[in-house]
Amino acid sequence: MTDTSGQIDHVLNEDRTFPPPAEFTEKAVFSSKSQYDEACKRASEDRDGFWKEEAEKHLHWFEPFNQVCRWDAPNVEWFVGGKTNASYNCLDRHVEAGRGDRTAILWEGEPGDTRCLSYAELRTEVAKCAAALQELGIGTGDVVSVYMPMTPELAIIMLACARIGAVHSVIFAGFSAESIADRNNDAKAKLVVTADGLHRRGKVLPLKETVDEALAKSPTVEKCLVLRRVGQDGVAMQEGRDVWWHDVVDKQSGDLPAKPLDSETTLFILYTSGSTGKPKGIRHTTAGYNLWAMRTFQWVFDHREEDVYWCTADCGWITGHSYIVYGPLSAGATCLMYEGAPNHPAEDRFWDLVEKYKVTTLYTAPTAIRAFIKWGDEHVEKHDLSSLRLLGSVGEGINPEAWMWYHEKIGYENCPIVDTWWQTETGGIMMSPLPGITATKPGSCTTPLPGIVPKIVDEAGKPVQQNNGGMLCIAEPWPGMLRGIWGDEERFVEQYWSTVPGMYLTGDNARQDEDGYYWIMGRIDDVINVSGHRLSTIEVESALVSHEAVCEAAVVGRPDDLKGQAIAAFVTIRDREPDDALRTELRQHVRKQIGALAQPDDLRFAATLPKTRSGKIMRRLLRDVASGREIGGDTSTLEDFSVIAKLSEDE
Ligand code: PRX
């Protein structure tokens, strides 16, 4: 059965449709609906011709490609035989075209320190860092794990890897030592790049300590490169393994050229949760991903020379990869990058930044928008946000209430909102309104971008009727699509390509309305979306059962006003009292195993877990219980599901 519990069930009517503001159409990449329709038509009728032109025009080629797309589902290669380099596309070509003085990164740290890097300066820093990587023994194909604060050096290390063909694997700096070690071992990382610490809500988090704990269990890692960010005293540096960034990077000359790389050279892997316990390393390659990130950035954000663009994501997630680093920098954009929390030192920090840097384009997540609503309009009203001309949303469906608030309070009712649907696997935005062209409906990601062919099918793989929910698949290849799961070809085929043969299975449910607009209705698998971050319920269950007091655990998502979904865990225990102390211990245990983002919001003790006759945990029932009832004051009460389970068995 497909699960439609996440369905956004809003009645659509004319007055909830927002027409595009006319002034957008003058300068946009697609300046009219007919141009966009034409691009979609061309991409579908002559896929190779369309992408050949796009790639030739928008990427730099050291050597031209001789075949546009080699497609034999699920295997795909784009721009076969060509040689390019993503770091070159992001930096050198702008410098060589005389745009080296243009600001690439405007950065602000949480304590208020600032930096500004032009494209020429960024190129020098990247080249120095790439030379340092080589000195540390890193070459093409080697995996570099990156566990860093949101400083310019995070973008620099990513681009430095790209410059020499090393594979970056960025790990969000909120993950635990266990999670870092798992990722290091799965990827066989040779180097870990980190910092002494990071600033978060006025505190310093000791990143290097966490990395040290991970390195004790990461036998493939030979070296650790450490940035001094917070000036923490007494950072333990292991002789022969650990080196300071300023000792090895600063002395380099900064003229290391970008290496011409085959189009299909792995650019990065990024771990994300799937429907099973172990996160998977999604693999993206150089040319196709680079082109997709760049063009989708230009199309969706209607990028213009004078823009100051701000994506509030962290580079630890795909949004940061595609829309802080590769997309905007390839397009020569000026990007704001911010290190810290949205509520430090006060709840107006984002709006302070928008006003101070005159941000024109803001790309953020519904979970952040809901937090701002909760914190109160006074924080927004203190600031002049009139520089904004375009707003974006990503990570989960934006509920119409949040959409309206974003539209009114942040966009002053005249900024289009682009609700962008995509995934780690898709590399870049797949469906989104185009500003100036698409009339928007709050809660819908509207229509696909050129070259994207979505299909909504039932379990037999047959297309569903209009307005009926079904599994969202993508029928044709696109340049930014994932190329595989690092080291696990079998899982790649099974997870994405075996349910509906020949089509990419997104894992989302969707429906298409009478205007052809798409509405994402939640996941079909055991993946939950907490504050826009993907987590597998099984991953959290595995963490729980690794605690000695836990016999069995079942984890489900329940609706949450701020996070979208919150994590509810039901556990059966042995040899311990089901009290608050154990509850705290188990939540801490998950935090230690995976990271703070996976810590259950509710944790209930159960005498038994409700199961079907075949022994499957009845998650639907637990979801109902988790969403419908408050946790009682008496924490020692054990939930007794045996009756319900029995009843269901008798049905
Ligand atoms: O369920 C969809 C949801 O987030 C999933 C992808 O998560 P991740 O790979 O972490 O990438 C997040 C950033 C792209 C999707 O399968 N999702 C993402 N954006 C939207 C969304 N659901 C509804 N509307 C969106 N705009």
Side-chain angles (χ1 to χ4, degrees):
M1 274 293 287
T2 52
D3 173 13
T4 55
S5 57
Q7 176 162 5
I8 303 164
D9 192 16
H10 294 281
V11 180
L12 300 179
N13 55 40
E14 280 307 309
D15 50 9
R16 293 211 89 168
T17 300
F18 292 76
E23 65 270 23
F24 265 82
T25 46
E26 294 158 31
K27 296 200 219 157
V29 182
F30 292 122
S31 60
S32 66
K33 171 94 169 61
S34 58
Q35 245 189 29
Y36 160 68
D37 289 342
E38 179 54 32
C40 292
K41 187 161 172 273
R42 175 98 206 281
S44 83
E45 285 172 2
D46 176 18
R47 182 180 69 208
D48 285 7
F50 179 82
W51 288 113
K52 178 175 190 288
E53 207 176 293
E54 286 284 320
E56 283 174 352
K57 204 161 151 196
H58 298 288
L59 292 185
H60 164 86
W61 294 96
F62 293 103
E63 279 175 37
F65 51 89
N66 48 41
Q67 190 179 351
V68 177
C69 179
R70 194 178 283 163
W71 168 235
D72 178 16
N75 300 312
V76 73
E77 286 172 77
W78 282 91
F79 313 119
V80 184
K83 284 196 193 300
T84 185
N85 184 294
S87 154
Y88 188 96
N89 288 319
C90 287
L91 305 168
D92 302 62
R93 64 166 159 171
H94 304 310
V95 177
E96 279 160 25
R99 296 192 301 268
D101 289 341
R102 212 181 133 72
T103 301
I105 296 180
L106 283 165
W107 176 82
E108 187 159 316
E110 194 183 77
D113 44 341
T114 59
R115 277 164 73 188
C116 175
L117 286 159
S118 68
Y119 273 90
E121 288 164 339
L122 187 60
R123 178 178 70 163
T124 303
E125 291 306 314
V126 167
K128 281 182 173 178
C129 184
L133 288 178
Q134 288 185 333
E135 195 181 306
L136 294 171
I138 299 300
T140 305
D142 289 333
V143 177
V144 176
S145 289
V146 178
Y147 188 73
M148 294 269 281
M150 275 288 286
T151 53
E153 284 78 8
L154 175 45
I156 290 168
I157 190 79
M158 290 164 74
L159 291 163
C161 288
R163 201 163 186 84
I164 59 170
V167 177
H168 58 72
S169 165
V170 184
I171 304 168
F172 174 63
F175 279 114
S176 66
E178 287 291 331
S179 294
I180 304 170
D182 284 349
R183 286 157 174 75
N184 285 343
N185 293 330
D186 187 77
K188 301 193 174 51
K190 256 178 102 172
L191 171 74
V192 174
V193 185
T194 189
D196 54 351
L198 68 74
H199 294 284
R200 192 76 189 172
R201 280 194 194 92
K203 292 205 185 99
V204 165
L205 304 186
L207 292 190
K208 174 67 165 54
E209 278 177 25
T210 311
V211 166
D212 283 341
E213 213 183 311
L215 291 187
K217 299 177 195 162
S218 309
T220 62
V221 176
E222 293 164 13
K223 298 268 180 203
C224 179
L225 177 62
V226 189
L227 176 76
R228 182 172 286 153
R229 163 63 188 130
V230 295
Q232 184 98 320
D233 286 337
V235 175
M237 297 290 279
Q238 187 178 306
E239 182 83 43
R241 185 194 71 185
D242 302 347
V243 274
W244 285 107
W245 181 289
H246 52 261
D247 284 340
V248 67
V249 176
D250 291 359
K251 66 177 186 191
Q252 309 291 338
S253 69
D255 52 10
L256 186 85
K259 186 173 176 186
L261 297 168
D262 284 338
S263 293
E264 286 296 336
T265 305
T266 301
L267 178 61
F268 65 85
I269 51 179
L270 183 58
Y271 283 85
T272 188
S273 296
S275 50
T276 59
K278 204 170 93 151
K280 52 199 176 180
I282 303 299
R283 188 169 77 85
H284 283 288
T285 58
T286 301
Y289 168 83
N290 195 170
L291 182 68
W292 187 244
M294 175 184 175
R295 294 303 282 154
T296 52
F297 170 76
Q298 291 172 319
W299 292 340
V300 174
F301 297 105
D302 175 37
H303 179 64
R304 298 172 193 186
E305 193 69 19
E306 62 277 15
D307 279 344
V308 176
Y309 162 85
W310 182 23
C311 168
T312 69
D314 190 288
C315 287
W317 312 110
I318 190 69
T319 308
H321 283 60
S322 303
Y323 299 110
I324 293 179
V325 180
Y326 292 108
L329 295 179
S330 291
T334 295
C335 307
L336 176 64
M337 190 173 175
Y338 169 58
E339 178 189 37
N343 55 351
H344 189 83
E347 283 77 2
D348 68 340
R349 185 66 186 268
F350 270 25
W351 318 120
D352 181 55
L353 288 163
V354 168
E355 184 174 9
K356 180 169 169 189
Y357 293 96
K358 301 205 169 19
V359 172
T360 57
T361 314
L362 177 69
Y363 191 29
T364 194
T367 185
I369 297 169
R370 291 190 297 263
F372 298 132
I373 298 175
K374 187 177 147 219
W375 293 336
D377 293 354
E378 64 273 20
H379 302 294
V380 176
E381 284 159 4
K382 265 194 242 164
H383 296 279
D384 174 8
L385 308 180
S386 57
S387 57
L388 288 170
R389 66 177 193 89
L390 176 56
L391 304 174
S393 170
V394 61
E396 62 183 299
I398 174 165
N399 42 310
E401 295 67 29
W403 197 101
M404 287 308 297
W405 185 88
Y406 203 26
H407 174 69
E408 286 166 11
K409 297 290 171 192
I410 308 302
Y412 299 167
E413 297 188 22
N414 57 24
C415 298
I417 296 178
V418 290
D419 175 356
T420 61
W421 174 82
W422 59 294
Q423 311 177 293
T424 305
E425 292 87 340
T426 68
I429 298 169
M430 301 290 275
M431 295 202 239
S432 171
L434 293 181
I437 291 177
T438 319
T440 46
K441 299 182 190 185
S444 166
C445 58
T446 74
T447 50
L449 295 181
I452 300 306
V453 185
K455 297 267 186 249
I456 301 176
V457 301
D458 62 17
E459 272 140 55
K462 298 248 162 18
V464 300
Q465 301 274 312
Q466 191 180 77
N467 267 320
N468 282 2
M471 298 186 288
L472 177 64
C473 297
I474 311 291
E476 294 287 331
W478 68 100
M481 67 199 289
L482 80 165
R483 300 299 195 266
I485 294 178
W486 190 253
D488 202 344
E489 184 63 22
E490 209 178 303
R491 190 171 171 199
F492 171 62
V493 174
E494 199 223 276
Q495 178 124 22
Y496 302 108
W497 301 96
S498 53
T499 311
V500 187
M503 286 198 219
Y504 166 74
L505 181 78
T506 67
D508 281 345
N509 262 315
R511 73 182 164 88
Q512 198 180 14
D513 72 15
E514 53 288 350
D515 295 323
Y517 279 28
Y518 288 85
W519 297 76
I520 305 297
M521 294 156 59
R523 300 282 306 186
I524 50 178
D525 51 19
D526 291 324
V527 170
I528 49 178
N529 189 326
V530 181
S531 302
H533 304 314
R534 261 163 75 166
L535 275 172
S536 139
T537 51
I538 299 163
E539 203 178 336
V540 183
E541 286 164 8
S542 308
L544 280 166
V545 296
S546 72
H547 189 283
E548 69 224 0
V550 176
C551 299
E552 247 189 334
V555 167
V556 293
R558 64 150 172 83
D560 180 89
D561 285 347
L562 275 185
K563 299 179 176 183
Q565 281 187 297
I567 304 174
F570 295 83
V571 293
T572 61
I573 51 170
R574 63 184 152 218
D575 305 332
R576 285 283 294 267
E577 282 304 306
D579 54 16
D580 267 346
L582 181 60
R583 177 175 288 118
T584 308
E585 194 178 316
L586 294 180
R587 294 178 73 232
Q588 284 294 335
H589 182 72
V590 176
R591 191 187 176 106
K592 193 154 181 352
Q593 293 290 310
I594 306 176
L597 72 164
Q599 183 169 288
D601 298 86
D602 304 341
L603 192 141
R604 302 184 185 204
F605 297 111
T608 54
L609 293 178
K611 293 189 185 154
T612 60
R613 208 180 291 273
S614 60
K616 245 184 133 202
I617 291 172
M618 297 160 72
R619 288 170 186 284
R620 184 181 293 276
L621 191 142
L622 291 179
R623 267 200 293 270
D624 290 347
V625 173
S627 14
R629 272 200 270 145
E630 287 299 308
I631 302 175
D634 179 6
T635 53
S636 64
T637 313
L638 289 176
E639 308 263 359
D640 185 1
F641 293 116
S642 53
V643 182
I644 320 175
K646 182 98 184 36
L647 281 176
S648 310
E649 275 193 48
D650 292 345
E651 268 173 10

